[in-house]
Amino acid sequence: MTDLCIRGHYELAPAEDDEGNPVTVRHDVDGVEWWDVRPAEATYGNLCGRCFARIRYYVGQTPQLLSHIRSHVKPAMQAARAERVAGTRDLVIPINPTASDDSHDLYAMLANWMTSFARSLNCDPPVTLWESFQKDIDVRYMPVWAEQRAAFGLTRALANWYMYREAQISYLMATAAFHDELVEMVGPLMARYPQAPRKQAHTRARVCPQCDEARIQAHWVGAGAHDVVVECFDPETTDPYKGCGYQVPREQVDRYIDWGEW
């Protein structure tokens, strides 16, 4: 029996026509269109390809995101006209408390999960977490000295540690909880602290069956199990949809994408 994704979601169930081409079985019930689904299969440890790739994507976003959040901690230039402590030039609130709390919460979440994974795998944690690992205590905030650049370096160390061990971690039962907490925290923070547009991380291009150009790529459009679009476009141009525009049907996505590349 094939193992199923530990998160327990479903995917479209493809079938084949008489010529062996993949098709999706749809039904019309009282005028409403339905299609066959099946439990998602685990292809990377206890995770399906989409869940495995989504964790990698969000973990990879955390260094730049946390650095960006830390840049909001200090008051903006207009704070020079803000209220002062009586008899001094000090600001009443010298920092942005929301950005400060968000940065500490994100770092603590990621750090505590990496420590937990290190214990489960019986290996050393990221070197920046060695003290809390030895004392068996939870990380509650970033080091007080960590400004924008230091925050990037500290978080990148955690992200790199995860990427190096992601295949082993995917077999742990806790990966489902990690996936959900990561997406629930990082997604809203990315919306709350928008950054300048950056080139999306793409998989290696595959040949498009319609125009024979190597432009079939995938990119996320949301956090849902099926919120990934696989289509023919050229990410190297200013027009992200330059290409023939062919979009791979959702039931055929796994034929074009190796989720381990993300």
Short mmCIF file of all heavy atoms in Angstrom, two decimals, residues 14-78:
data_model
loop_
_atom_site.label_atom_id
_atom_site.label_comp_id
_atom_site.label_asym_id
_atom_site.label_seq_id
_atom_site.Cartn_x
_atom_site.Cartn_y
_atom_site.Cartn_z
N PRO A 14 -6.04 11.40 -11.63
CA PRO A 14 -6.00 11.29 -13.10
C PRO A 14 -6.29 9.87 -13.57
O PRO A 14 -6.03 8.89 -12.88
CB PRO A 14 -4.56 11.70 -13.44
CG PRO A 14 -3.78 11.28 -12.23
CD PRO A 14 -4.70 11.48 -11.05
N ALA A 15 -6.86 9.78 -14.74
CA ALA A 15 -7.06 8.50 -15.40
C ALA A 15 -6.43 8.61 -16.78
O ALA A 15 -5.79 9.61 -17.10
CB ALA A 15 -8.55 8.17 -15.49
N GLU A 16 -6.55 7.58 -17.60
CA GLU A 16 -5.98 7.59 -18.95
C GLU A 16 -7.05 7.22 -19.96
O GLU A 16 -7.92 6.38 -19.69
CB GLU A 16 -4.80 6.62 -19.04
CG GLU A 16 -3.59 7.05 -18.21
CD GLU A 16 -2.40 6.14 -18.44
OE1 GLU A 16 -2.59 5.09 -19.09
OE2 GLU A 16 -1.30 6.48 -17.97
N ASP A 17 -6.97 7.89 -21.11
CA ASP A 17 -7.92 7.55 -22.18
C ASP A 17 -7.41 6.34 -22.95
O ASP A 17 -6.41 5.72 -22.58
CB ASP A 17 -8.15 8.75 -23.10
CG ASP A 17 -6.85 9.24 -23.74
OD1 ASP A 17 -5.88 8.45 -23.81
OD2 ASP A 17 -6.81 10.40 -24.19
N ASP A 18 -8.07 6.02 -24.04
CA ASP A 18 -7.72 4.82 -24.81
C ASP A 18 -6.32 4.90 -25.40
O ASP A 18 -5.69 3.88 -25.71
CB ASP A 18 -8.74 4.60 -25.93
CG ASP A 18 -10.13 4.28 -25.38
OD1 ASP A 18 -10.20 3.81 -24.22
OD2 ASP A 18 -11.13 4.51 -26.10
N GLU A 19 -5.80 6.15 -25.58
CA GLU A 19 -4.48 6.32 -26.16
C GLU A 19 -3.40 6.50 -25.09
O GLU A 19 -2.24 6.77 -25.42
CB GLU A 19 -4.48 7.53 -27.09
CG GLU A 19 -5.44 7.37 -28.28
CD GLU A 19 -5.44 8.60 -29.17
OE1 GLU A 19 -4.73 9.57 -28.82
OE2 GLU A 19 -6.13 8.58 -30.21
N GLY A 20 -3.77 6.36 -23.84
CA GLY A 20 -2.79 6.46 -22.77
C GLY A 20 -2.51 7.87 -22.30
O GLY A 20 -1.58 8.09 -21.51
N ASN A 21 -3.30 8.83 -22.77
CA ASN A 21 -3.11 10.21 -22.34
C ASN A 21 -3.84 10.46 -21.03
O ASN A 21 -4.95 9.97 -20.83
CB ASN A 21 -3.63 11.18 -23.40
CG ASN A 21 -2.90 11.04 -24.72
OD1 ASN A 21 -1.67 10.95 -24.75
ND2 ASN A 21 -3.65 10.98 -25.81
N PRO A 22 -3.23 11.24 -20.12
CA PRO A 22 -3.89 11.49 -18.84
C PRO A 22 -5.12 12.38 -19.01
O PRO A 22 -5.12 13.34 -19.76
CB PRO A 22 -2.81 12.21 -18.02
CG PRO A 22 -1.92 12.84 -19.05
CD PRO A 22 -1.93 11.90 -20.22
N VAL A 23 -6.17 12.02 -18.31
CA VAL A 23 -7.41 12.81 -18.32
C VAL A 23 -7.93 12.86 -16.88
O VAL A 23 -7.56 12.05 -16.04
CB VAL A 23 -8.49 12.21 -19.23
CG1 VAL A 23 -8.03 12.22 -20.68
CG2 VAL A 23 -8.85 10.79 -18.79
N THR A 24 -8.78 13.81 -16.60
CA THR A 24 -9.43 13.90 -15.30
C THR A 24 -10.86 13.44 -15.43
O THR A 24 -11.58 13.88 -16.33
CB THR A 24 -9.40 15.35 -14.77
OG1 THR A 24 -8.04 15.76 -14.65
CG2 THR A 24 -10.06 15.44 -13.41
N VAL A 25 -11.27 12.54 -14.56
CA VAL A 25 -12.61 11.99 -14.61
C VAL A 25 -13.57 12.97 -13.95
O VAL A 25 -13.46 13.26 -12.75
CB VAL A 25 -12.69 10.62 -13.92
CG1 VAL A 25 -14.11 10.08 -13.97
CG2 VAL A 25 -11.71 9.65 -14.57
N ARG A 26 -14.48 13.54 -14.73
CA ARG A 26 -15.47 14.49 -14.21
C ARG A 26 -16.87 13.89 -14.32
O ARG A 26 -17.15 13.11 -15.21
CB ARG A 26 -15.39 15.81 -14.98
CG ARG A 26 -14.13 16.60 -14.69
CD ARG A 26 -14.13 17.93 -15.45
NE ARG A 26 -13.03 18.79 -15.04
CZ ARG A 26 -11.79 18.72 -15.53
NH1 ARG A 26 -11.51 17.79 -16.43
NH2 ARG A 26 -10.86 19.55 -15.11
N HIS A 27 -17.72 14.30 -13.42
CA HIS A 27 -19.10 13.81 -13.40
C HIS A 27 -20.05 14.99 -13.30
O HIS A 27 -19.72 16.02 -12.71
CB HIS A 27 -19.34 12.88 -12.20
CG HIS A 27 -18.30 11.80 -12.06
ND1 HIS A 27 -18.34 10.64 -12.80
CD2 HIS A 27 -17.20 11.71 -11.27
CE1 HIS A 27 -17.31 9.87 -12.46
NE2 HIS A 27 -16.61 10.50 -11.54
N ASP A 28 -21.22 14.83 -13.88
CA ASP A 28 -22.25 15.86 -13.77
C ASP A 28 -23.38 15.29 -12.91
O ASP A 28 -24.06 14.34 -13.31
CB ASP A 28 -22.79 16.24 -15.16
CG ASP A 28 -23.74 17.42 -15.08
OD1 ASP A 28 -24.89 17.21 -14.66
OD2 ASP A 28 -23.33 18.54 -15.45
N VAL A 29 -23.54 15.86 -11.71
CA VAL A 29 -24.55 15.38 -10.77
C VAL A 29 -25.54 16.52 -10.54
O VAL A 29 -25.20 17.54 -9.93
CB VAL A 29 -23.92 14.93 -9.44
CG1 VAL A 29 -25.02 14.43 -8.49
CG2 VAL A 29 -22.89 13.84 -9.69
N ASP A 30 -26.75 16.34 -11.03
CA ASP A 30 -27.80 17.36 -10.88
C ASP A 30 -27.32 18.73 -11.36
O ASP A 30 -27.56 19.76 -10.72
CB ASP A 30 -28.25 17.45 -9.42
CG ASP A 30 -28.93 16.17 -8.96
OD1 ASP A 30 -29.52 15.48 -9.81
OD2 ASP A 30 -28.87 15.86 -7.75
N GLY A 31 -26.60 18.74 -12.47
CA GLY A 31 -26.14 19.99 -13.05
C GLY A 31 -24.89 20.57 -12.42
O GLY A 31 -24.43 21.64 -12.81
N VAL A 32 -24.30 19.87 -11.44
CA VAL A 32 -23.08 20.33 -10.78
C VAL A 32 -21.92 19.43 -11.19
O VAL A 32 -22.05 18.20 -11.15
CB VAL A 32 -23.23 20.32 -9.24
CG1 VAL A 32 -21.93 20.78 -8.58
CG2 VAL A 32 -24.39 21.20 -8.82
N GLU A 33 -20.81 20.05 -11.62
CA GLU A 33 -19.67 19.27 -12.07
C GLU A 33 -18.80 18.85 -10.90
O GLU A 33 -18.43 19.64 -10.05
CB GLU A 33 -18.84 20.09 -13.07
CG GLU A 33 -17.74 19.28 -13.74
CD GLU A 33 -16.94 20.09 -14.74
OE1 GLU A 33 -16.32 21.09 -14.30
OE2 GLU A 33 -16.94 19.74 -15.92
N TRP A 34 -18.47 17.58 -10.84
CA TRP A 34 -17.59 17.02 -9.80
C TRP A 34 -16.45 16.28 -10.50
O TRP A 34 -16.56 15.89 -11.66
CB TRP A 34 -18.35 16.04 -8.90
CG TRP A 34 -19.47 16.67 -8.13
CD1 TRP A 34 -20.73 16.94 -8.58
CD2 TRP A 34 -19.42 17.12 -6.78
NE1 TRP A 34 -21.48 17.53 -7.60
CE2 TRP A 34 -20.71 17.65 -6.47
CE3 TRP A 34 -18.43 17.12 -5.80
CZ2 TRP A 34 -21.01 18.17 -5.23
CZ3 TRP A 34 -18.75 17.64 -4.55
CH2 TRP A 34 -20.02 18.17 -4.27
N TRP A 35 -15.35 16.08 -9.81
CA TRP A 35 -14.28 15.28 -10.37
C TRP A 35 -13.69 14.38 -9.30
O TRP A 35 -13.79 14.64 -8.11
CB TRP A 35 -13.19 16.16 -10.99
CG TRP A 35 -12.66 17.23 -10.09
CD1 TRP A 35 -11.65 17.15 -9.20
CD2 TRP A 35 -13.15 18.57 -10.01
NE1 TRP A 35 -11.47 18.34 -8.55
CE2 TRP A 35 -12.38 19.23 -9.04
CE3 TRP A 35 -14.16 19.28 -10.66
CZ2 TRP A 35 -12.59 20.56 -8.70
CZ3 TRP A 35 -14.37 20.60 -10.33
CH2 TRP A 35 -13.59 21.23 -9.36
N ASP A 36 -13.12 13.29 -9.76
CA ASP A 36 -12.58 12.29 -8.83
C ASP A 36 -11.33 12.82 -8.13
O ASP A 36 -10.48 13.47 -8.76
CB ASP A 36 -12.23 11.00 -9.58
CG ASP A 36 -13.48 10.26 -10.06
OD1 ASP A 36 -14.57 10.62 -9.59
OD2 ASP A 36 -13.35 9.34 -10.89
N VAL A 37 -11.22 12.53 -6.85
CA VAL A 37 -10.03 12.89 -6.08
C VAL A 37 -9.54 11.65 -5.35
O VAL A 37 -10.25 10.64 -5.25
CB VAL A 37 -10.33 14.01 -5.05
CG1 VAL A 37 -10.72 15.30 -5.75
CG2 VAL A 37 -11.41 13.58 -4.06
N ARG A 38 -8.34 11.74 -4.85
CA ARG A 38 -7.75 10.64 -4.09
C ARG A 38 -6.84 11.25 -3.02
O ARG A 38 -6.39 12.38 -3.17
CB ARG A 38 -6.92 9.74 -5.01
CG ARG A 38 -5.70 10.43 -5.59
CD ARG A 38 -4.94 9.56 -6.56
NE ARG A 38 -3.78 10.28 -7.10
CZ ARG A 38 -3.05 9.83 -8.12
NH1 ARG A 38 -3.38 8.69 -8.72
NH2 ARG A 38 -2.01 10.53 -8.56
N PRO A 39 -6.58 10.53 -1.95
CA PRO A 39 -5.64 11.04 -0.94
C PRO A 39 -4.26 11.26 -1.56
O PRO A 39 -3.79 10.47 -2.37
CB PRO A 39 -5.60 9.92 0.11
CG PRO A 39 -6.89 9.18 -0.08
CD PRO A 39 -7.18 9.24 -1.54
N ALA A 40 -3.63 12.38 -1.21
CA ALA A 40 -2.31 12.69 -1.77
C ALA A 40 -1.28 11.68 -1.27
O ALA A 40 -1.25 11.34 -0.08
CB ALA A 40 -1.90 14.09 -1.36
N GLU A 41 -0.45 11.20 -2.19
CA GLU A 41 0.55 10.20 -1.84
C GLU A 41 1.82 10.87 -1.31
O GLU A 41 2.22 11.94 -1.77
CB GLU A 41 0.90 9.36 -3.07
CG GLU A 41 -0.27 8.54 -3.59
CD GLU A 41 0.12 7.72 -4.80
OE1 GLU A 41 1.29 7.82 -5.24
OE2 GLU A 41 -0.74 6.97 -5.31
N ALA A 42 2.44 10.23 -0.33
CA ALA A 42 3.69 10.73 0.23
C ALA A 42 4.84 10.31 -0.69
O ALA A 42 5.05 9.12 -0.92
CB ALA A 42 3.91 10.17 1.63
N THR A 43 5.55 11.28 -1.22
CA THR A 43 6.67 11.00 -2.13
C THR A 43 8.00 11.48 -1.56
O THR A 43 9.05 11.13 -2.09
CB THR A 43 6.44 11.67 -3.49
OG1 THR A 43 6.13 13.06 -3.29
CG2 THR A 43 5.28 11.01 -4.22
N TYR A 44 7.96 12.29 -0.51
CA TYR A 44 9.18 12.77 0.17
C TYR A 44 9.00 12.52 1.66
O TYR A 44 8.44 13.33 2.37
CB TYR A 44 9.42 14.26 -0.09
CG TYR A 44 9.72 14.57 -1.54
CD1 TYR A 44 8.69 14.84 -2.43
CD2 TYR A 44 11.03 14.58 -2.00
CE1 TYR A 44 8.96 15.11 -3.76
CE2 TYR A 44 11.31 14.85 -3.33
CZ TYR A 44 10.28 15.11 -4.20
OH TYR A 44 10.55 15.37 -5.52
N GLY A 45 9.45 11.36 2.12
CA GLY A 45 9.24 11.00 3.51
C GLY A 45 7.76 10.84 3.79
O GLY A 45 7.06 10.06 3.14
N ASN A 46 7.23 11.64 4.74
CA ASN A 46 5.81 11.60 5.07
C ASN A 46 5.01 12.67 4.33
O ASN A 46 3.83 12.86 4.63
CB ASN A 46 5.62 11.80 6.59
CG ASN A 46 6.04 10.57 7.37
OD1 ASN A 46 5.80 9.44 6.96
ND2 ASN A 46 6.68 10.78 8.51
N LEU A 47 5.64 13.36 3.39
CA LEU A 47 4.98 14.48 2.72
C LEU A 47 4.81 14.21 1.22
O LEU A 47 5.63 13.53 0.60
CB LEU A 47 5.83 15.75 2.90
CG LEU A 47 6.05 16.25 4.33
CD1 LEU A 47 7.07 17.38 4.32
CD2 LEU A 47 4.74 16.70 4.95
N CYS A 48 3.75 14.80 0.67
CA CYS A 48 3.61 14.79 -0.79
C CYS A 48 4.53 15.86 -1.36
O CYS A 48 5.12 16.67 -0.63
CB CYS A 48 2.16 15.08 -1.18
SG CYS A 48 1.60 16.76 -0.81
N GLY A 49 4.67 15.87 -2.66
CA GLY A 49 5.60 16.82 -3.29
C GLY A 49 5.25 18.27 -3.02
O GLY A 49 6.12 19.10 -2.77
N ARG A 50 3.95 18.60 -3.03
CA ARG A 50 3.55 19.98 -2.82
C ARG A 50 3.87 20.47 -1.41
O ARG A 50 4.35 21.59 -1.21
CB ARG A 50 2.05 20.15 -3.12
CG ARG A 50 1.71 20.02 -4.60
CD ARG A 50 0.20 19.96 -4.79
NE ARG A 50 -0.16 19.97 -6.21
CZ ARG A 50 -0.12 18.91 -6.99
NH1 ARG A 50 0.29 17.75 -6.50
NH2 ARG A 50 -0.46 18.99 -8.28
N CYS A 51 3.57 19.65 -0.41
CA CYS A 51 3.84 20.05 0.98
C CYS A 51 5.35 20.17 1.22
O CYS A 51 5.82 21.09 1.90
CB CYS A 51 3.23 19.06 1.95
SG CYS A 51 1.42 19.05 1.95
N PHE A 52 6.12 19.24 0.66
CA PHE A 52 7.57 19.28 0.79
C PHE A 52 8.14 20.56 0.17
O PHE A 52 8.96 21.25 0.76
CB PHE A 52 8.17 18.05 0.11
CG PHE A 52 9.67 17.96 0.16
CD1 PHE A 52 10.30 17.44 1.27
CD2 PHE A 52 10.45 18.40 -0.91
CE1 PHE A 52 11.69 17.34 1.32
CE2 PHE A 52 11.83 18.31 -0.87
CZ PHE A 52 12.45 17.78 0.26
N ALA A 53 7.65 20.89 -1.03
CA ALA A 53 8.14 22.08 -1.73
C ALA A 53 7.70 23.35 -1.03
O ALA A 53 8.44 24.34 -0.99
CB ALA A 53 7.63 22.09 -3.17
N ARG A 54 6.50 23.35 -0.45
CA ARG A 54 6.01 24.56 0.22
C ARG A 54 6.84 24.88 1.45
O ARG A 54 7.13 26.04 1.74
CB ARG A 54 4.54 24.39 0.59
CG ARG A 54 3.87 25.71 0.99
CD ARG A 54 2.39 25.53 1.27
NE ARG A 54 1.69 25.05 0.09
CZ ARG A 54 1.22 23.81 -0.05
NH1 ARG A 54 1.39 22.94 0.90
NH2 ARG A 54 0.60 23.46 -1.14
N ILE A 55 7.22 23.86 2.22
CA ILE A 55 8.08 24.10 3.39
C ILE A 55 9.40 24.70 2.94
O ILE A 55 9.88 25.68 3.51
CB ILE A 55 8.31 22.79 4.17
CG1 ILE A 55 7.03 22.30 4.83
CG2 ILE A 55 9.40 23.00 5.23
CD1 ILE A 55 7.17 20.99 5.57
N ARG A 56 9.98 24.12 1.90
CA ARG A 56 11.26 24.64 1.41
C ARG A 56 11.12 26.09 0.97
O ARG A 56 11.99 26.93 1.25
CB ARG A 56 11.76 23.79 0.25
CG ARG A 56 13.02 24.36 -0.40
CD ARG A 56 13.43 23.55 -1.61
NE ARG A 56 14.06 22.30 -1.21
CZ ARG A 56 14.62 21.46 -2.08
NH1 ARG A 56 14.62 21.74 -3.36
NH2 ARG A 56 15.17 20.34 -1.66
N TYR A 57 10.03 26.41 0.30
CA TYR A 57 9.82 27.78 -0.19
C TYR A 57 9.72 28.75 0.97
O TYR A 57 10.39 29.79 0.97
CB TYR A 57 8.56 27.84 -1.04
CG TYR A 57 8.15 29.24 -1.42
CD1 TYR A 57 8.85 29.95 -2.40
CD2 TYR A 57 7.08 29.87 -0.79
CE1 TYR A 57 8.49 31.24 -2.74
CE2 TYR A 57 6.71 31.16 -1.13
CZ TYR A 57 7.42 31.84 -2.10
OH TYR A 57 7.06 33.12 -2.43
N TYR A 58 8.90 28.45 1.96
CA TYR A 58 8.69 29.39 3.06
C TYR A 58 9.93 29.49 3.95
O TYR A 58 10.25 30.59 4.44
CB TYR A 58 7.47 29.00 3.88
CG TYR A 58 6.17 29.49 3.27
CD1 TYR A 58 5.34 28.63 2.57
CD2 TYR A 58 5.80 30.82 3.38
CE1 TYR A 58 4.16 29.09 2.00
CE2 TYR A 58 4.62 31.29 2.81
CZ TYR A 58 3.81 30.43 2.12
OH TYR A 58 2.65 30.89 1.55
N VAL A 59 10.61 28.39 4.20
CA VAL A 59 11.86 28.46 4.97
C VAL A 59 12.86 29.33 4.23
O VAL A 59 13.57 30.15 4.83
CB VAL A 59 12.44 27.05 5.23
CG1 VAL A 59 13.86 27.14 5.78
CG2 VAL A 59 11.56 26.28 6.22
N GLY A 60 12.92 29.17 2.91
CA GLY A 60 13.86 29.97 2.11
C GLY A 60 13.53 31.46 2.13
O GLY A 60 14.41 32.30 1.90
N GLN A 61 12.27 31.82 2.40
CA GLN A 61 11.87 33.23 2.44
C GLN A 61 12.23 33.90 3.77
O GLN A 61 12.30 35.13 3.84
CB GLN A 61 10.36 33.35 2.24
CG GLN A 61 9.86 32.94 0.87
CD GLN A 61 10.33 33.89 -0.22
OE1 GLN A 61 10.34 35.10 -0.06
NE2 GLN A 61 10.74 33.32 -1.34
N THR A 62 12.44 33.11 4.83
CA THR A 62 12.57 33.69 6.17
C THR A 62 13.78 34.60 6.37
O THR A 62 13.65 35.62 7.06
CB THR A 62 12.57 32.59 7.24
OG1 THR A 62 13.60 31.63 6.97
CG2 THR A 62 11.22 31.89 7.29
N PRO A 63 14.99 34.32 5.82
CA PRO A 63 16.10 35.24 6.08
C PRO A 63 15.84 36.66 5.58
O PRO A 63 16.00 37.63 6.34
CB PRO A 63 17.28 34.58 5.34
CG PRO A 63 16.94 33.14 5.29
CD PRO A 63 15.46 33.10 5.11
N GLN A 64 15.40 36.80 4.32
CA GLN A 64 15.14 38.13 3.78
C GLN A 64 13.95 38.77 4.46
O GLN A 64 13.95 39.99 4.73
CB GLN A 64 14.90 38.03 2.28
CG GLN A 64 14.69 39.37 1.59
CD GLN A 64 15.91 40.27 1.68
OE1 GLN A 64 17.04 39.80 1.57
NE2 GLN A 64 15.69 41.55 1.90
N LEU A 65 12.93 37.97 4.77
CA LEU A 65 11.73 38.51 5.43
C LEU A 65 12.07 39.04 6.82
O LEU A 65 11.66 40.15 7.18
CB LEU A 65 10.66 37.42 5.52
CG LEU A 65 9.40 37.79 6.32
CD1 LEU A 65 8.68 38.97 5.67
CD2 LEU A 65 8.47 36.59 6.42
N LEU A 66 12.81 38.27 7.60
CA LEU A 66 13.14 38.70 8.95
C LEU A 66 14.03 39.93 8.94
O LEU A 66 13.86 40.86 9.74
CB LEU A 66 13.82 37.57 9.72
CG LEU A 66 14.01 37.75 11.22
CD1 LEU A 66 12.71 38.20 11.88
CD2 LEU A 66 14.50 36.48 11.85
N SER A 67 14.96 39.97 8.01
CA SER A 67 15.81 41.16 7.87
C SER A 67 14.96 42.38 7.53
O SER A 67 15.17 43.48 8.07
CB SER A 67 16.85 40.92 6.78
OG SER A 67 17.60 42.08 6.53
N HIS A 68 13.98 42.19 6.65
CA HIS A 68 13.10 43.29 6.25
C HIS A 68 12.25 43.76 7.43
O HIS A 68 12.05 44.96 7.63
CB HIS A 68 12.22 42.83 5.10
CG HIS A 68 11.31 43.89 4.57
ND1 HIS A 68 11.77 45.06 4.01
CD2 HIS A 68 9.94 43.95 4.51
CE1 HIS A 68 10.74 45.80 3.63
NE2 HIS A 68 9.63 45.15 3.92
N ILE A 69 11.75 42.82 8.23
CA ILE A 69 10.95 43.19 9.40
C ILE A 69 11.80 43.99 10.39
O ILE A 69 11.35 44.99 10.95
CB ILE A 69 10.37 41.94 10.09
CG1 ILE A 69 9.38 41.24 9.16
CG2 ILE A 69 9.67 42.32 11.39
CD1 ILE A 69 8.86 39.92 9.71
N ARG A 70 13.06 43.57 10.58
CA ARG A 70 13.93 44.29 11.52
C ARG A 70 14.19 45.72 11.06
O ARG A 70 14.43 46.61 11.86
CB ARG A 70 15.26 43.55 11.68
CG ARG A 70 15.17 42.20 12.37
CD ARG A 70 14.65 42.29 13.77
NE ARG A 70 15.59 42.95 14.67
CZ ARG A 70 15.33 43.17 15.97
NH1 ARG A 70 14.17 42.80 16.49
NH2 ARG A 70 16.22 43.78 16.74
N SER A 71 14.13 45.95 9.75
CA SER A 71 14.33 47.31 9.25
C SER A 71 13.18 48.23 9.64
O SER A 71 13.31 49.46 9.59
CB SER A 71 14.48 47.30 7.72
OG SER A 71 13.24 47.03 7.08
N HIS A 72 12.04 47.65 10.05
CA HIS A 72 10.88 48.44 10.48
C HIS A 72 10.89 48.70 11.97
O HIS A 72 10.01 49.42 12.47
CB HIS A 72 9.58 47.72 10.10
CG HIS A 72 9.28 47.74 8.64
ND1 HIS A 72 8.39 48.63 8.07
CD2 HIS A 72 9.76 46.98 7.63
CE1 HIS A 72 8.33 48.40 6.77
NE2 HIS A 72 9.15 47.41 6.48
N VAL A 73 11.82 48.10 12.69
CA VAL A 73 11.82 48.24 14.14
C VAL A 73 12.17 49.65 14.57
O VAL A 73 11.55 50.24 15.45
CB VAL A 73 12.79 47.22 14.79
CG1 VAL A 73 12.95 47.50 16.28
CG2 VAL A 73 12.29 45.80 14.56
N LYS A 74 13.17 50.25 13.92
CA LYS A 74 13.55 51.61 14.26
C LYS A 74 12.52 52.59 13.72
O LYS A 74 11.93 52.35 12.67
CB LYS A 74 14.94 51.93 13.71
CG LYS A 74 16.06 51.16 14.39
CD LYS A 74 17.41 51.61 13.88
CE LYS A 74 18.53 50.89 14.62
NZ LYS A 74 19.87 51.33 14.15
N PRO A 75 12.30 53.72 14.40
CA PRO A 75 11.29 54.67 13.94
C PRO A 75 11.64 55.27 12.60
O PRO A 75 12.81 55.40 12.23
CB PRO A 75 11.30 55.74 15.04
CG PRO A 75 12.65 55.62 15.67
CD PRO A 75 12.99 54.16 15.62
N ALA A 76 10.62 55.64 11.84
CA ALA A 76 10.82 56.26 10.54
C ALA A 76 11.31 57.69 10.70
O ALA A 76 11.33 58.24 11.80
CB ALA A 76 9.51 56.23 9.74
N MET A 77 11.69 58.30 9.59
CA MET A 77 12.24 59.65 9.65
C MET A 77 11.25 60.65 10.26
O MET A 77 11.65 61.57 10.97
CB MET A 77 12.62 60.11 8.24
CG MET A 77 13.78 59.35 7.64
SD MET A 77 15.30 59.53 8.59
CE MET A 77 15.62 61.28 8.30
N GLN A 78 9.95 60.47 10.03
CA GLN A 78 9.00 61.43 10.56
C GLN A 78 8.90 61.37 12.07
O GLN A 78 8.31 62.24 12.70
CB GLN A 78 7.61 61.23 9.95
CG GLN A 78 7.03 59.84 10.14
CD GLN A 78 7.31 58.96 8.95
OE1 GLN A 78 8.35 59.12 8.31
NE2 GLN A 78 6.41 58.06 8.65
#
